C-alpha cells in the first residue's frame, strides 16, 4: 500500500474514469462531489454546505461530528495542499498526522483516479464558499479516543491505490465498477462488516460485496443477484430508474438512500447510470443462489376482499395500509410501491420495514419536484404489537415468505429512533 500514485496505476485508473462528460453547467469537480454525495455527511439542516457538524455514530466507540471541508484556512481545509488532500482522501490521514475514523469512506475514495481527485480538490478550493465554523470534538473518551491503532487498521484493510481497469470487461462495466467501488462508495452501506468494522469486501471478488447490511435501524439491502431480496428480478433499466427518480416498478427508496437520490444519483449522466446498472447486474447471487423467484399468491387478497381479518395484522393493514398498497399487495407503482414481492419486504432483515411504519420516509425530490406520495409515520397511532403484527402480515402475505417480527424488536427501534429520547443520528459509514 502507498499514498502516492504511480504512473501505471494512474494511467489505468484514468482509462476507467475519463471520457465521461458531466452534466452541462457542472464542473468535473462538482460532478465528482455529487457522485460521492459529500454534502450529505458534511452538512446539517439549516447549516452552510460542507461546513460539517453532523453527528455520526461510530459502532463500539461513541460519536463523532463531521468536519468543515470548506476552503476556510482556519477552520476548514483551505490550507491543504493537493498532496494533503489526496492523503486524507486515500489514507484517512490529515496533514498533522491525525488518523480519521473510517466513518469517512477513504477505503473507497482511494480508488479515485488522479484526474478526479485533482478536480475534486479544485472544486473545494475554488467553487465552495469558505465558512468559518469550528469543528466539534468527538464524543469518544478514554482509551477509545486513542487513534494510533487506526494505522494498523489501515495496514490491514485499506488499499490506497486507484482503481485499475479489468481486462476482459468492457468500458461500461469498468466505469460502473469505478463509480460503485470508488466515489459512490456503495459498499460502505450495502456490504456487511467484519469483527473490526471493516467492509468484508471492497469489490466483486467476494460474495460478501453488496450482500446487504444493517445500518442504524435500516437495512441497506442486497445489491447483488439475489433473486428475491436483491436485484435478481430487476432489469438494468429498473436500476437506472431508481437511481434517477427514487422509484421504479419494484419499490421506492427509503432511509438514507433518499438522500443519495436527492443529492447524488439524480445528477448522474445517463451514461454513468447505465454503467452502474451494468456493473450491479453483473454481481452474482450470494444468499439466494438456488432460491426460486418470488411467485404471487392470491390467497391473502381473497381473504381481505372477503373481510376475513382473523390473521394478526390483517385488520391493521386493511385500515391503514390498503388504501395505498391495495388489498392485492400490488400498490400503484411507481408512486405507491407494491408489497407483494418487494425486495425490501423480502429482505432477511426486517428493520427497514419496521422503521418505515414507525417513522415514515423522507421525501424524494428529483428535478426540483417533491414526491406527491410519502409513507406516513404510525409511531403515535399503533402500538409495538400492532406494528409487529402488520409487518409480519406483510412479510408473509401474497406469496412473500419472510420471517415475522416481534413487539420487542419494534420497541427497540422505536426507542432508538424516538426524537424525544435520542438524537436522530443517521449512521453513514461513507
Amino acid at each position: 500500500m502507498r499514498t502516492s500514485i504511480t504512473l501505471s496505476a494512474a494511467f489505468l485508473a484514468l482509462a476507467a474514469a475519463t471520457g465521461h462528460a458531466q452534466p452541462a453547467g457542472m464542473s468535473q469537480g462538482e460532478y465528482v462531489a455529487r457522485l460521492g454525495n459529500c454534502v450529505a455527511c458534511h452538512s446539517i439542516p439549516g447549516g452552510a454546505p460542507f461546513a460539517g457538524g453532523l453527528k455520526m455514530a461510530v459502532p463500539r466507540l461513541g460519536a463523532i461530528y463531521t468536519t468543515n471541508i470548506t476552503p476556510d484556512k482556519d477552520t476548514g481545509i483551505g490550507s491543504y495542499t493537493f498532496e494533503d488532500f489526496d492523503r486524507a482522501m486515500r489514507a484517512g490521514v490529515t496533514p498533522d498526522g491525525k488518523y480519521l475514523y473510517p466513518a469517512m469512506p477513504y477505503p473507497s475514495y482511494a480508488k479515485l483516479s488522479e484526474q478526479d481527485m485533482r478536480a475534486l480538490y479544485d472544486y473545494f478550493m475554488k467553487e465552495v464558499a469558505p465558512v468559518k465554523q469550528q469543528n466539534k470534538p468527538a464524543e469518544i473518551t478514554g482509551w477509545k479516543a486513542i487513534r494510533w491503532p487506526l494505522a494498523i487498521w489501515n495496514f490491514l484493510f485499506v488499499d490506497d491505490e486507484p482503481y485499475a481497469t479489468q481486462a476482459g470487461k468492457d468500458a461500461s462495466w469498468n466505469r460502473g465498477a469505478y463509480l460503485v467501488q470508488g466515489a459512490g462508495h456503495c459498499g460502505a452501506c450495502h456490504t456487511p462488516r467484519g469483527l473490526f468494522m471493516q467492509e468484508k469486501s471492497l469489490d466483486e471478488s467476494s460474495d460478501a460485496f453488496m450482500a446487504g447490511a444493517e445500518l442504524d435501524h435500516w437495512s441497506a439491502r442486497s445489491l447483488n443477484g439475489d433473486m428475491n431480496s436483491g436485484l435478481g428480478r430487476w432489469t438494468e433499466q429498473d436500476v437506472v430508474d431508481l437511481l434517477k427518480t427514487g422509484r421504479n416498478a419494484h419499490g421506492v427508496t427509503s432511509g438514507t438512500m433518499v438522500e443519495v437520490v436527492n443529492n447524488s444519483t439524480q445528477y448522474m449522466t445517463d451514461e454513468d447510470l447505465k454503467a452502474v446498472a451494468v456493473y450491479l447486474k453483473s454481481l452474482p447471487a450470494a444468499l439466494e443462489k438456488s432460491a426460486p423467484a418470488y411467485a404471487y399468491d392470491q390467497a391473502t387478497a381473497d381473504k381481505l376482499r372477503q373481510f376475513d381479518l382473523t390473521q394478526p395484522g390483517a385488520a391493521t393493514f386493511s385500515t391503514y395500509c390498503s388504501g395505498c398498497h391495495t388489498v392485492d399487495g400490488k400498490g400503484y407503482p411507481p408512486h405507491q410501491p407494491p408489497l407483494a414481492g418487494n425486495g425490501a419486504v423480502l429482505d432477511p432483515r426486517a428493520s427497514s420495514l419496521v422503521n418505515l411504519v414507525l417513522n415514515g420516509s423522507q421525501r424524494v425530490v428529483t428535478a426540483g419536484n417533491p414526491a406527491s406520495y410519502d409513507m406516513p409515520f404510525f409511531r403515535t397511532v399503533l402500538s409495538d404489537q400492532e406494528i409487529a403484527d402488520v409487518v409480519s402480515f406483510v412479510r408473509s402475505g401474497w406469496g412473500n415468505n419472510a420471517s415475522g417480527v416481534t413487539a420487542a424488536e419494534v420497541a427497540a427501534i422505536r426507542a432508538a429512533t424516538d426524537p424525544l429520547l435520542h438524537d436522530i443520528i443517521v449512521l453513514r459509514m461513507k
Side-chain angles (χ1 to χ4, degrees):
M1 296 184 295
R2 52 188 299 184
T3 57
S4 62
I5 303 175
T6 65
L7 289 176
S8 59
F11 177 81
L12 291 173
L14 284 172
T18 57
H20 298 266
Q22 61 271 5
M26 186 181 298
S27 69
Q28 181 185 352
E30 181 181 356
Y31 187 58
V32 177
R34 284 288 188 187
L35 294 174
N37 197 17
C38 306
V39 71
C41 288
H42 288 276
S43 309
I44 58 174
F50 305 113
L54 181 72
K55 189 175 183 180
M56 300 175 68
V58 178
R60 305 171 193 165
L61 292 179
I64 62 173
Y65 291 87
T66 57
T67 56
N68 183 344
I69 56 172
T70 73
D72 180 72
K73 290 185 178 295
D74 297 322
T75 62
I77 62 171
S79 63
Y80 279 36
T81 65
F82 170 72
E83 289 71 25
D84 293 335
F85 182 80
D86 187 71
R87 188 183 185 208
M89 290 289 289
R90 294 190 192 280
V93 182
T94 63
D96 60 1
K98 185 178 182 180
Y99 285 88
L100 301 175
Y101 291 107
M104 161 68 172
Y106 57 86
S108 297
Y109 292 156
K111 298 193 177 187
L112 287 176
S113 68
E114 182 176 8
Q115 179 185 10
D116 277 348
M117 193 71 80
R118 287 190 178 277
L120 187 63
Y121 175 76
D122 288 345
Y123 170 69
F124 279 111
M125 295 303 171
K126 300 175 182 178
E127 297 184 56
V128 172
V131 178
K132 189 173 293 296
Q133 178 174 298
Q134 292 291 341
N135 293 317
K136 294 183 178 181
E139 296 178 356
I140 300 175
T141 59
W143 66 269
K144 293 181 178 181
I146 300 173
R147 297 204 187 194
W148 68 260
L150 287 168
I152 301 174
W153 193 93
N154 285 359
F155 176 79
L156 293 173
F157 303 121
V158 179
D159 179 359
D160 55 12
E161 293 288 353
Y163 176 83
T165 55
Q166 288 200 26
K169 300 293 186 180
D170 64 22
S172 184
W173 188 97
N174 271 293
R175 177 64 178 174
Y178 174 75
L179 293 170
V180 169
Q181 297 174 23
H185 60 282
C186 306
C189 292
H190 291 273
T191 296
R193 293 181 178 262
L195 178 63
F196 299 101
M197 295 307 299
Q198 81 282 8
E199 293 172 50
K200 288 187 174 181
S201 180
L202 295 172
D203 58 36
E204 69 286 342
S205 62
S206 167
D207 282 351
F209 187 59
M210 297 296 180
E214 194 76 17
L215 186 72
D216 194 37
H217 311 292
W218 291 93
S219 175
R221 57 177 291 190
S222 165
L223 295 183
N224 60 25
D226 283 343
M227 185 57 65
N228 297 315
S229 62
L231 304 183
R233 291 176 289 132
W234 289 32
T235 65
E236 290 178 2
Q237 189 59 48
D238 289 332
V239 177
V240 170
D241 288 345
L242 190 80
L243 295 176
K244 191 70 176 180
T245 69
R247 304 172 183 277
N248 65 17
H250 298 276
V252 176
T253 54
S254 61
T256 55
M257 189 64 194
V258 173
E259 293 180 348
V260 175
V261 173
N262 286 350
N263 299 321
S264 177
T265 57
Q266 68 165 304
Y267 296 96
M268 292 173 66
T269 64
D270 291 343
E271 185 180 17
D272 277 351
L273 288 172
K274 173 70 172 177
V276 168
V278 166
Y279 177 68
L280 290 179
K281 283 294 294 177
S282 76
L283 300 178
L287 298 178
E288 300 171 2
K289 293 182 179 180
S290 59
Y294 165 82
Y296 185 78
D297 189 326
Q298 187 70 30
T300 301
D302 290 341
K303 288 184 178 181
L304 289 172
R305 289 192 179 100
Q306 296 164 9
F307 298 102
D308 179 352
L309 306 178
T310 54
Q311 183 178 343
T316 301
F317 178 86
S318 181
T319 302
Y320 296 104
C321 313
S322 62
C324 291
H325 298 288
T326 67
V327 295
D328 61 9
K330 296 181 180 180
Y332 301 103
H335 299 289
Q336 293 162 310
L339 299 177
N342 187 312
V345 175
L346 295 170
D347 192 325
R349 299 163 294 271
S351 53
S352 286
L353 210 54
V354 172
N355 206 330
L356 275 169
V357 177
L358 274 168
N359 301 309
S361 178
Q362 299 180 64
R363 176 164 289 187
V364 176
V365 182
T366 56
N369 298 312
S372 300
Y373 303 97
D374 296 325
M375 174 70 180
F377 64 88
F378 292 97
R379 65 180 306 126
T380 59
V381 178
L382 300 176
S383 68
D384 294 339
Q385 188 61 60
E386 287 173 320
I387 292 176
D389 286 344
V390 74
V391 170
S392 298
F393 176 81
V394 167
R395 281 169 63 83
S396 64
W398 309 287
N400 296 333
N401 188 25
S403 60
V405 175
T406 67
E409 292 173 308
V410 176
I413 296 178
R414 182 192 292 271
T417 59
D418 189 339
L420 298 178
L421 299 177
H422 299 270
D423 293 329
I424 300 178
I425 303 172
V426 179
L427 170 60
R428 299 181 181 90
M429 297 297 291
K430 297 179 180 176

